[in-house]
Amino acid sequence: MTGQRSDARRNYQRILAVAEAEVAAYGAEASQEQIARTAGVGSATVRRHFPTRRALLEAVFQERIEGLCERAHTLSATEDGRTALLEWLHALVLYAVSARGFANTLSYEPPTEETSPHSCGNRIAAAGTPLLQQAIRDKAVAPHVTFHDLLTLAVGIALATEHHKDPETQADRLFRLAVEGLSPEHGIADASGKSASSLMTEGLPKGHV
């Protein structure tokens, strides 16, 4: 039994090492069959350790997820809630741009099974939500903003810029545009004559973004 467990651990580590290289090269579309061939195991062995593609991707990004969670915890001690939230969200965007397949891992998919609290999306949400809540308490972010909104923004920027010749610079630019607004002083007039910016901020205390 001990020998079987050792073999299983070795197979897991070998598959994961190969998967990391394949995902780095091909992103979320990395072939599980190719991973199995390169690792020298059968496809069934890969699926036994990683029953779904998402499970495989989450294992590949586990270490980076832990780093983002630790950074969120550190930033939670920052007095300026808005600064803490934006610094962490910016780091999330840039990591999603630099790590192929990561944005796909976090992107929304209709649930087909009960989600694990240890999934990438849930761990990211658990780490980032306190930063958002603090920024809302500081009246620096509108109270209707949800963490899912922010995650969708980060994933959208990463997916939109992944084929750009300089994805990190473009992603950084889009992130700053999203934070600052396209034309915060002028807005865009709608049919009622009110500007889009005034419609978005109507009824909200000053200082919201």
Side-chain angles (χ1 to χ4, degrees), residues 10-23 35 38-39 50 56 60:
R10 282 194 295 271
N11 282 340
Y12 177 90
Q13 293 299 332
R14 185 161 61 248
I15 293 167
L16 186 57
V18 171
E20 288 173 347
E22 288 292 313
V23 171
I35 290 170
T38 304
F50 307 104
L56 178 64
V60 166

Side-chain angles (χ1 to χ4, degrees), residues 70-155:
E70 289 174 5
R71 186 164 187 179
H73 178 71
T74 300
L75 287 168
S76 65
T78 304
E79 291 185 6
D80 186 338
R82 183 178 186 275
T83 296
L85 175 64
L86 292 183
E87 182 176 329
W88 184 79
L89 189 61
H90 189 230
L92 174 61
V93 168
L94 293 184
Y95 176 59
V97 170
S98 66
R100 295 189 65 181
F102 185 61
N104 300 74
T105 306
L106 294 180
S107 60
Y108 173 78
E109 288 185 357
T112 56
E113 57 188 39
E114 185 177 350
T115 59
S116 166
H118 303 295
S119 70
C120 284
N122 286 333
R123 292 184 65 195
I124 286 288
T129 296
L131 298 178
L132 172 60
Q133 291 172 338
Q134 182 59 53
I136 290 174
R137 286 194 295 270
D138 290 349
K139 301 189 185 309
V141 172
H144 61 268
V145 175
T146 68
F147 186 79
H148 184 263
D149 294 333
L150 301 182
L151 188 58
T152 301
L153 174 66
V155 168

Side-chain angles (χ1 to χ4, degrees), residues 6 38 50-51 67 69 98 162 174 192:
S6 297
T38 304
F50 307 104
C69 291
S98 66
E162 64 180 351
L174 291 177
S192 68

Side-chain angles (χ1 to χ4, degrees), residues 178-196:
V179 171
E180 297 168 1
L182 297 178
S183 183
E185 294 182 1
H186 302 288
I188 302 173
D190 73 338
S192 68
K194 293 180 178 180
S195 70

